[in-house]
Each structure stands twice: as structure tokens, then as C-alpha cells.
Amino acid sequence: MSAPLLTVADLSVRFRMSGGRTVAAVRDVSFTLAAGQCLALVGESGCGKSVLASALLGLLPGNAQVRGAVHTDGRELLAADEDVLAREVRGRRIGLIPQSPAGHLTPVRTVRSQLAETVRELTGVRGSGLPDAVAAAAARAAFPSDHLDRYPHELSGGLAQRAATALALVGDAPLLIADEPTTGLDRELVDRTVDELRRHADDGRGLLVITHDLSAAARIADRVAVMYAGRVVELADAKGFFGSPGPRHPYAAGLLAALPEREFTPIPGMPPELDALPEGCAFAPRCGRASAACARRPELTDGLACHHALDPAHA
Amino acid sequence: MLELRAVTAGYDRRTPVLRDVDLTVADGEAVGLLGPSGCGKSTLARVAALLHRPDAGEVRLAGTPVPGFRHRAPRALRTTVGVVFQQPRQAADPRLTLRDLIAEPLRATGRAAEVADRLAELAPTVGLGGDLLTRGPHEVSDGQLQRACVARALVLRPRLLICDEMTAMLDASTTAALVGVVEDYRAATGAALLAVGHDRVLLDRWCDRVTHLASGSSARA
Ligand code: SF4
């Protein structure tokens, strides 16, 4: 296997808050992503998954403290300065498909004008070659050419998503990060958006999808990382995770069981506050399998951070 | 409980998003309204919640024809309905604590004396413990804020609940928890439900029956 496109090693992000509070949003997260592969990072809102995406792109606010290392293309990103990230990484090495495309597009400019600017900036194409390059950029994200002269507010949610995706693809970045790409879309549109994203992985890109939508994750991902309270608690092959043998971490199992097509029963309680995490396993107060051993923090070993993991194969 | 007859509504009379829509929710019934984005289902939810005046048609609530909408809706009818929206951050006044957010409908209807009792009942029901009630919307997660919005919708003990994409932003566990809160309330009070959404699997599991609102056309349900 070739070297991974993206290597995240022991990434931690803390925020210093007023009153001396510290919020540990991401803790000791490690994973790799290969070309042609899609990794879905799933978890509930506030579990740290969006902070993680911002950290990879160098888009954290000033009160963030970052530890660890992120490598792509022989370059370490966490230590890189903003200038390098803006000129050489964002858009060129890593394309971001944002959470709310409408908010990411400039409201007062047509899709064509925004695409043209990005094409000029990232590919250097200008003059007579520009119209064709813009048309090609739109086509790559299946954005209809007869909608290019529309303004963002004249687009449906699905088309706004495609416009944002087209922008993210212009620089032909080998790595794409999609942050909650399906929020607010109806199910048919979710399926279509997810299938279109999947195509970019099949074209050889690495695709990191951050989502709380488990059905979308099941549809798109090769691998799935489940985050809870800032940590990855299970990292598994998506097929086995969503199908058979199923999840092994009690939190992951609870999350899947909560789906309306499964038991539709919630996990009791709520996730812990990130400024007051327990010493041991952060899931212990909600976990039916917790024991005294869980007062010691379980490390992620062989894709699992739990002292009493489920053994679905022998259940 | 709720009857919409030949309702046409929108934001521009020339291009209504809803045309000639009929919808009935019987007493105690849970009806799911399914439709793609942009089909007007949120407009329909706003009409049913008396928050948007239709251009044509009739709305009956608890057997009474609705004479006015928004601030023109009679208080007795307005308080019959509780509403939860998709985006808790847009629905919640950022200056209020969660406690005041939940209590606000009581205060607005001159029932401030009930605030303490009602909060003591509702906070554990929606799972808001500890100091969460003293925090502002920006100090809690989307899921926690939506729990507060559900408590707010229940605070006046409505006979009809309207949930417009209540769980679209939420993870599976919080979704199941909040649907559970709504269903416990309905089981205890016999309240009816109109759940608007785009997730067929969810609405099929949640509601007695599910009806479809097609894009730009009318629904007969
Ligand atoms: S380590 Fe213990 S408390 Fe944590 S998930 Fe595993 S069994 Fe539950």
C-alpha cells in the first residue's frame, strides 16, 4: 500500500476559556487516510469532530492550543504558518466542503463569478480559457451549467451544496474534507449528495466526511471513526460496523441502536461537559457495561477504546 | 384537532408555496408530513401553528375556525399549540438563559406564578440537569438547546404539538430521546402531533400515519 494521504498523530485541541476554564475538544486522535478511501468521522454534536476538521485546515480560533502532528504530502500542517496554509494547503492540498454551503458562498455574486475567481486563483487559467475551465469545474460537481448565473439564494439546498463542492474541487486537491455535508437535506438528496461525494473518492481522492448522520456514513464510508467526548472510541471497517458483526464499543452500539430503523431507544443521559471530563472512561456514567476497571481510561488499541467491549461475533 | 381546508399560502401571492392543501389531524392522533425540501411543508407547519397567515382557505383548531394569525390569533387558540423548529439557535433568544427560555410562554400569558413548579417537572423530563438551566444558548450544545426548546413547547400543556424538522440537526440518540419526550407527553395528556420532516424511516416509526406533500402541488390527507 502507498503512503497515506493524511496521517493524524496524537492530535489534541484545547480551548482556553474565560474564567480559566479549559475545554478539551479533541484528545489524542490518530488515524490515517489513503487515496481512494473514505473515512467517516461520526458522533453527536459537540463531540469534537468539527473542531478536528478545523484543526486540519488551520482554521481554529486564537484561544486554541494544538498538540500532535498532521502530515499530508510530506508536510506537517500544525506547525505551518497561516501564509503557507492559505497559499499552498487550503484549496490546493485539502478542499473543504463546508457545513452550510449557503453561508460559504458569497451572497452578492453569481456562482459563475465565484467559480471564475477560484479557478483564476488556484489554477492560473485566465482570459479566453476561463469560460471552459469554469464550465468544467461546475460539471465536476454536477452543477447544472444553466444555473451558473444564479445567486446563492436562488439555489435549492442541493444545488448550493454542489456549488460549494465545485469550489472545493477547483484546486484538484487530493484530499477532501466534507463537514456535515448533508445537514438539512432530505433523504433522497442526502443519498445523491453522498453518492456524488463518493465518486470523488473513487476518482482517487482521500475523503474525510464528518457527520452525525449514520445512514449517510453507512452509505459512503470505507472506514468509520466514532468520536465521543473528544476521543476516537472505535475505528472500524464500515461494512462490518454497520452490518455484521456490528459495533464493539458500547457507545457506538448505543448510537446505532437509537436509529429509527433499529430499536429507536436513546442512550441514557448526555455526554459529559468537555471542561469537566472524568478521569476514566468518559462514557462510564451512561454505560451499562461499566465496572471498577473503567475508572482507568481505556486507550485506543486495535481500533477500540473499551475495557469490556462487546463481542458481537460471539453474542 | 387540526383541520386545514383548501389552504394556499406563501410569501408572494403570485407564487404560493402551498396550493389548495387539505390536512386533518384528529384528536390524539400523530400525523407525519413528509416532503422534499422546498415543498412548503415548513410553511404548512407555520400556518398550522398560527404563525403564518394563509392567502386562502380555512384553518380550524380544536373545532374553532381560526379568525386571525400571528399576533391576531386569539390567545386561547395560540396556547393550544406548541411548536418546535429545526434550528434551535434561530428559534431561541440568545440573551435568555435556558430557564427563562422555557418559562417565557408562561410569563407571556400571565402565569409567572407557575414557573417554578413547571420547570421542576419539565427539566428532568427533557434531561436538563445540573447548571444547564442557568446557561445561555451559546453555552450549550445544539442537542441541549433543542431539549430546552421542547420543554418550552410543552410548558403551556398544548393539545397539539407541531414539530418542524425537530431532529434534523441531531444525532441518533438525541433524536430518539426527544421523540421519547414528545411521546411520553402525548401518552400522558392525549395531545395530538403534527411532525413535519424529510426522513420517512423516522416518521413511519414515530407517527400513526404519514402523508406526503409533493413539491409545489396540493396534498389531500
Ligand atoms: S471502558 Fe467501561 S465504561 Fe467505558 S465504554 Fe467500555 S465498558 Fe463502558
Side-chain angles (χ1 to χ4, degrees), chain A residues 249-250 281 283-284 287 289-290 294 298 306-308:
Chain A
H249 192 281
C281 175
F283 189 59
C287 182
R289 300 170 74 85
C294 306
C306 176
H307 295 303
H308 310 292

Side-chain angles (χ1 to χ4, degrees), chain B residues 105-123:
Chain B
L106 284 172
R107 298 210 168 98
T109 48
R111 292 160 62 181
E114 296 168 46
V115 167
D117 284 354
R118 234 12 221 133
L119 268 159
E121 268 172 79
L122 277 171

Side-chain angles (χ1 to χ4, degrees), chain A:
Chain A
M1 204 176 107
S2 57
L5 257 184
L6 176 72
T7 306
V8 176
D10 290 321
L11 176 65
S12 296
V13 182
R14 286 151 40 112
F15 294 105
R16 285 218 167 284
M17 311 299 279
S18 55
R21 285 195 309 137
T22 323
V23 169
V26 174
R27 293 184 301 158
D28 305 323
V29 168
S30 301
F31 62 85
T32 61
L33 179 61
Q37 194 181 54
C38 174
L39 171 68
L41 204 57
V42 302
E44 51 210 294
S45 78
C47 74
K49 57 194 194 304
S50 285
V51 171
L52 193 145
S54 303
L56 299 184
L57 290 157
L59 294 174
L60 290 170
N63 64 336
Q65 299 175 327
V66 186
R67 273 196 304 112
V70 174
H71 280 96
T72 178
D73 189 32
R75 191 195 293 280
E76 204 288 307
L77 296 185
L78 297 183
D81 43 301
E82 171 54 30
D83 194 44
V84 172
L85 291 174
R87 257 186 311 109
E88 296 171 29
V89 177
R90 290 197 290 265
R92 295 174 201 267
R93 296 294 312 163
I94 308 181
L96 173 68
I97 299 168
Q99 174 153 18
S100 70
H104 198 72
L105 301 167
T106 312
V108 295
R109 291 173 54 201
T110 63
V111 175
R112 186 190 302 282
S113 121
Q114 296 184 53
L115 267 176
E117 180 187 302
T118 309
V119 167
R120 262 196 310 263
E121 205 174 286
L122 293 182
T123 67
V125 174
R126 44 195 78 224
S128 59
L130 198 54
D132 282 352
V134 167
R140 227 180 299 160
F143 185 89
S145 55
D146 57 347
H147 282 55
L148 276 169
D149 291 311
R150 301 220 175 166
Y151 290 91
H153 71 269
E154 297 173 319
L155 300 174
S156 67
L159 286 187
Q161 185 57 258
R162 287 190 203 177
T165 306
L167 284 170
L169 293 174
V170 166
D172 202 21
L175 182 64
L176 290 177
I177 299 180
D179 189 5
E180 298 282 4
T182 61
T183 297
L185 303 182
D186 47 70
R187 184 50 56 197
E188 289 98 274
L189 216 47
V190 167
D191 289 352
R192 216 162 64 209
T193 303
V194 155
D195 292 348
E196 283 166 10
L197 284 174
R198 176 70 229 184
R199 246 185 339 112
H200 303 305
D202 294 337
D203 287 347
R205 292 187 176 82
L207 178 60
L208 179 64
V209 175
I210 290 164
T211 184
H212 71 271
D213 182 340
L214 295 170
S215 334
R219 196 173 170 99
I220 195 170
D222 302 300
R223 283 195 307 153
V224 55
V226 183
M227 273 185 89
Y228 186 75
R231 287 180 185 279
V232 171
V233 294
E234 182 162 359
L235 183 60
D237 174 54
K239 214 159 152 244
F241 181 84
F242 291 109
S244 172
R248 294 165 62 207
H249 192 281
Y251 170 67
L255 207 52
L256 282 181
L259 285 171
E261 57 268 48
R262 301 196 184 197
E263 280 98 276
F264 205 31
T265 46
I267 302 167
M270 279 197 280
E273 299 289 330
L274 295 177
D275 62 349
L277 289 170
E279 273 289 298
C281 175
F283 189 59
R286 307 172 73 185
C287 182
R289 300 170 74 85
S291 74
C294 306
R296 194 167 42 80
R297 193 174 64 222
E299 298 298 335
L300 188 73
T301 344
D302 291 333
L304 199 62
C306 176
H307 295 303
H308 310 292
L310 289 94
D311 192 358
H314 302 100

Side-chain angles (χ1 to χ4, degrees), chain B residues 49-50 60 69 78 88 98 109 160 164 183 198 204 207 219:
Chain B
L50 314 186
R60 294 173 77 90
F69 289 80
R78 244 187 300 153
L98 298 199
T109 48
L160 171 67
D164 181 11
E183 286 310 294
H198 61 258
D204 277 343
C207 301

